[in-house]
Amino acid sequence: MKKFLNDPVNFVDEMLEGIYAAHPMVTYVNDDLRCLVTAKPKAGKVGLTTGGGSGHLPTFLGFVGDGMLDGAAVGGVFQSPSAEQMYQVTKAVDQGVGVLYIYGNYSGDIINFDMAAELADLDGIAVKQVVGNDDVASSIVGEEHKRRGVAGIFFIYKAAGAAAAEGLSLDEVARIADKARMKTRTMGVALSSCVVPEIGHATFSIGEDEMEIGMGIHGEPGISRKKLGAADAVVDEMMERIFNETDYKSGDDVAVLINGLGGTPLEELYILFRRVRQLLDARGVNLKHVWIGEFATSMEMAGASISILHLDEELDRLMAAPANTPFFKHVTG
Amino acid sequence: MKKFLNDPVNFVDEMLEGIYAAHPMVTYVNDDLRCLVTAKPKAGKVGLTTGGGSGHLPTFLGFVGDGMLDGAAVGGVFQSPSAEQMYQVTKAVDQGVGVLYIYGNYSGDIINFDMAAELADLDGIAVKQVVGNDDVASSIVGEEHKRRGVAGIFFIYKAAGAAAAEGLSLDEVARIADKARMKTRTMGVALSSCVVPEIGHATFSIGEDEMEIGMGIHGEPGISRKKLGAADAVVDEMMERIFNETDYKSGDDVAVLINGLGGTPLEELYILFRRVRQLLDARGVNLKHVWIGEFATSMEMAGASISILHLDEELDRLMAAPANTPFFKHVTG
């Protein structure tokens, strides 16, 4: 295992100590490093909270900051944080106008966020939830509720974060977050495994010339394993699955996220994007926003995902809004 | 080779097509994708040009934008761009007040930038040069002129870019860039090899439990190869070499860059930073600015580097200035 770490048991907490030492814009509550919140709460703003396992930086905690989220409950590597941690974060970010939970569709997270919402309800804090399920590969059309949440959750954060920063109500922010959720599709492909520090060896094995289309960000099985082809052919296959269940028409606007899973060089993400752009151009679909880099990783896994958000005027405006978080900055103009 | 690519021969140009398709803030001149320049030139500003081989994103071209650089000549993977490309970029970015070249200390780049400067001189364009040589591992004290330029060149870009944006003269911008150069030290450690697309196999081999201290970003040999120890011990060894040739005193200010070489998860970079911060705190050295992420990579190489810039008031001010480039955004406040 080629990792920079001390005792693997301390991996997450030492990572968090590094986060707090680097980024004074975030802090923690309840004497628990894993209850991360913004250090600059905004009075009267709807609170946005996320949470989930570690090992996916910048997801989840990396997006706490101006124009994005207010808090994140941080779990062990690929493990759900506790309901108590989510509840503590909820109390800390509530400004009296309610809190929206945005997280991925994993059973542990759902159970714990549900429990946190019940605890918050006893305190009189209004909570709504939007559960990201953008991973096209993880279930068929008609069973979208079974789909995993992956990198496309970024679009929900961005839309909801900008809406909350505009001062919209909890109902409005939740409506927008849910719209962004429904309008987002992601397809991923893995080329190599990740290594969980406390386990110390690859989560799965894959041949030197193989790729797995649709693999999850914890190494969940995908749709098909096959010989790694040319980059353009890989993109064509991924985009075909996205096009198959969306109705982008000529003249429509989209936002695109090309996400590296951890071990893939940035250069290759741009080669993938080049082809995505060609396919969108061929259909007359307008690229209004694009982000390329690492947004939701799986430790050192080589691979990438393509997320597309179908924009309307409202989502377009919210994508364009400024943001300033430790891992994501968006500058207007 | 687990890479997203089409024909390896087209790796760089397809990557560049992706860059231009994603980032309208940059464009190219002379009908040559490899002559990258800002699309928003600022009248009367000193032009800042860099260049070097591909395979190091965001270095070099990723820092062309507001508050940073104006142009970059782009070479093949780990290859110098041509003097002609550097000259074309020079002509394009010159606003009549001169151009500063900032690049790393590699013989091919030096020869070609020297030639480009001569061509520019014939056109009456004033050119100055600052050659980054921050890699402590690549030569002994007293022979700093033999040292390679690595991730610490970021600090030179940032200082010079902010100085030029303030409207300072070529002489002043060059003075500041040279000060940042002299005040920067970097130590790196590699855990795995990179793969050059046209070669298709690892540049070097390294044992499953080994690290190489001081390896260059093209796989140049380092100082020592040994068993990979605990993260804190690795940082201690790297920082000792930096401390040994600097004179940070209690109360001094520094900027820190923790740079991932490509394949190392962000989580681990924060574990490294945690220890760097502890060592600085123990000496009473103030951390004024920190950036953590991928700044100068070696394709998918696992590993990291630590760069430290010893600040004075002027450099502190310039580090704090805003920047907006495709790969680096700095938001003030």
Side-chain angles (χ1 to χ4, degrees):
Chain A
M1 180 175 48
K2 311 283 295 234
K3 283 188 183 299
F4 294 115
L5 53 84
N6 297 300
D7 187 335
V9 171
N10 299 326
F11 183 82
V12 170
D13 290 333
E14 290 184 353
M15 177 268 289
L16 285 168
E17 288 172 15
I19 296 273
Y20 295 119
H23 304 297
M25 70 165 71
V26 291
T27 184
Y28 57 95
V29 292
N30 203 38
D31 281 333
D32 184 348
L33 290 171
R34 300 187 181 201
C35 296
L36 183 146
V37 298
T38 175
K40 301 188 296 181
K42 294 219 166 50
K45 191 184 83 71
V46 168
L48 300 186
T49 292
T50 190
S54 290
H56 304 299
L57 280 182
T59 294
F60 298 88
L61 64 89
F63 300 116
V64 173
D66 294 345
M68 296 284 277
L69 308 175
D70 301 287
V74 182
V77 174
F78 298 174
Q79 294 172 347
S80 180
S82 71
E84 174 67 17
Q85 289 165 329
M86 293 165 177
Y87 168 59
Q88 294 295 340
V89 170
T90 305
K91 283 199 298 185
V93 306
D94 178 47
Q95 298 289 324
V97 292
V99 175
L100 177 65
Y101 295 166
I102 304 170
Y103 57 97
N105 191 18
Y106 299 93
S107 55
D109 293 322
I110 293 170
I111 291 167
N112 289 333
F113 269 113
D114 279 348
M115 209 178 303
E118 284 175 30
L119 293 169
D121 183 59
L122 295 175
D123 291 344
I125 302 173
V127 170
K128 291 197 164 230
Q129 306 195 34
V130 170
V131 182
N133 61 338
D134 51 310
D135 186 2
V136 167
S138 52
S139 191
I140 57 173
V141 173
E143 297 200 338
E144 286 87 353
H145 63 283
K146 294 185 179 172
R147 287 180 172 176
R148 297 182 292 255
V150 287
I153 200 169
F154 166 80
F155 289 135
I156 311 179
Y157 293 158
K158 182 76 185 72
E166 286 183 353
L168 300 190
S169 69
L170 176 61
D171 282 351
E172 274 293 275
V173 175
R175 173 188 64 76
I176 286 165
D178 202 52
K179 181 167 69 174
R181 177 191 67 78
M182 285 188 295
K183 294 290 189 183
T184 298
R185 293 292 182 282
T186 297
M187 271 296 300
V189 56
L191 304 189
S192 75
S193 178
C194 51
V195 177
V196 176
E198 287 197 62
I199 297 175
H201 58 76
T203 303
F204 60 89
S205 62
I206 182 167
E208 251 314 298
D209 60 347
E210 287 182 322
M211 64 175 173
E212 182 145 341
I213 301 266
M215 175 166 286
I217 57 173
H218 311 94
E220 299 96 331
I223 295 171
S224 68
R225 182 174 288 203
K226 56 173 75 169
K227 200 166 182 309
L228 173 59
D232 287 356
V234 174
V235 171
D236 290 353
E237 180 169 352
M238 296 165 80
M239 289 294 288
E240 188 185 353
R241 289 185 180 269
I242 292 176
F243 285 137
N244 275 347
E245 57 177 83
T246 52
D247 58 346
Y248 308 150
K249 286 179 280 294
S250 180
D252 282 4
D253 296 330
V254 297
V256 169
L257 177 73
I258 309 290
N259 172 57
L261 292 178
T264 286
L266 280 165
E267 286 80 359
E268 297 174 32
L269 300 183
Y270 277 87
I271 289 175
L272 298 177
F273 171 68
R274 166 185 172 274
R275 184 62 176 174
V276 171
R277 180 72 195 258
Q278 287 175 353
L279 297 177
L280 293 174
D281 287 350
R283 288 171 179 249
V285 176
N286 300 321
L287 180 84
K288 292 296 291 282
H289 308 276
V290 58
W291 290 283
I292 301 173
E294 294 182 353
F295 288 78
T297 59
S298 182
M299 307 291 292
E300 61 277 89
M301 186 183 285
S305 62
I306 301 166
S307 300
I308 304 198
L309 169 64
H310 198 169
L311 296 168
D312 59 14
E313 210 168 299
E314 183 174 60
L315 291 172
D316 184 31
R317 180 187 86 236
L318 297 167
M319 289 302 116
N324 184 17
T325 81
F327 289 78
F328 174 71
K329 296 175 200 305
H330 188 62
V331 178
T332 302
Chain B
M1 179 174 49
K2 311 282 296 233
K3 281 190 184 297
F4 294 115
L5 55 84
N6 297 301
D7 186 337
V9 171
N10 300 325
F11 182 83
V12 171
D13 290 332
E14 290 184 352
M15 177 268 289
L16 286 168
E17 288 172 15
I19 296 275
Y20 295 118
H23 304 297
M25 71 165 71
V26 292
T27 184
Y28 55 96
V29 293
N30 203 37
D31 281 331
D32 183 348
L33 291 171
R34 300 186 182 203
C35 296
L36 184 146
V37 298
T38 176
K40 301 188 294 181
K42 294 219 168 47
K45 190 185 83 71
V46 169
L48 299 187
T49 291
T50 189
S54 291
H56 304 299
L57 280 181
T59 293
F60 298 89
L61 64 89
F63 300 116
V64 174
D66 294 345
M68 296 283 280
L69 308 175
D70 301 287
V74 181
V77 174
F78 299 174
Q79 295 172 348
S80 180
S82 70
E84 173 67 17
Q85 288 165 329
M86 294 164 176
Y87 168 60
Q88 294 294 339
V89 170
T90 306
K91 283 200 297 184
V93 306
D94 177 48
Q95 298 288 324
V97 292
V99 175
L100 176 66
Y101 295 165
I102 305 169
Y103 58 95
N105 191 17
Y106 298 94
S107 54
D109 293 322
I110 292 170
I111 291 167
N112 288 333
F113 269 113
D114 279 348
M115 211 179 302
E118 285 176 29
L119 293 169
D121 184 58
L122 295 175
D123 291 343
I125 302 173
V127 170
K128 292 199 164 229
Q129 307 194 34
V130 170
V131 182
N133 61 339
D134 51 310
D135 186 1
V136 166
S138 53
S139 193
I140 58 173
V141 173
E143 297 201 338
E144 286 86 354
H145 63 282
K146 294 184 181 175
R147 289 181 172 177
R148 297 183 292 255
V150 286
I153 199 170
F154 166 80
F155 289 135
I156 311 179
Y157 293 158
K158 182 78 186 69
E166 287 182 351
L168 301 189
S169 69
L170 177 60
D171 281 351
E172 274 294 275
V173 175
R175 174 188 63 76
I176 287 166
D178 202 52
K179 181 167 68 173
R181 177 191 68 78
M182 285 188 296
K183 293 289 187 183
T184 298
R185 293 291 183 282
T186 298
M187 271 295 299
V189 55
L191 304 189
S192 76
S193 177
C194 51
V195 177
V196 176
E198 287 197 63
I199 296 173
H201 59 76
T203 303
F204 60 90
S205 63
I206 181 166
E208 250 316 297
D209 61 346
E210 287 182 322
M211 64 176 175
E212 182 144 341
I213 300 266
M215 175 166 285
I217 57 172
H218 311 95
E220 299 95 332
I223 295 170
S224 68
R225 183 174 289 203
K226 57 173 77 169
K227 201 166 180 307
L228 173 57
D232 286 357
V234 174
V235 171
D236 290 353
E237 180 167 352
M238 295 164 81
M239 289 295 288
E240 187 184 355
R241 289 186 179 268
I242 292 175
F243 285 137
N244 275 348
E245 57 178 85
T246 51
D247 59 346
Y248 309 150
K249 286 177 283 293
S250 180
D252 282 5
D253 296 330
V254 296
V256 169
L257 178 73
I258 309 291
N259 172 56
L261 293 178
T264 286
L266 279 165
E267 286 81 358
E268 297 173 31
L269 300 183
Y270 277 87
I271 289 174
L272 298 176
F273 170 68
R274 167 185 170 274
R275 183 63 175 175
V276 171
R277 180 72 195 258
Q278 288 174 353
L279 297 176
L280 293 173
D281 287 350
R283 289 172 179 249
V285 176
N286 300 320
L287 180 84
K288 291 296 291 282
H289 309 275
V290 56
W291 289 282
I292 301 173
E294 293 182 353
F295 288 78
T297 60
S298 181
M299 306 291 291
E300 62 276 270
M301 186 183 285
S305 62
I306 302 166
S307 299
I308 304 197
L309 169 65
H310 198 169
L311 295 168
D312 60 14
E313 210 169 301
E314 182 174 61
L315 291 171
D316 183 31
R317 181 188 85 235
L318 297 167
M319 289 300 117
N324 184 17
T325 80
F327 290 78
F328 174 70
K329 295 174 201 305
H330 189 60
V331 178
T332 304

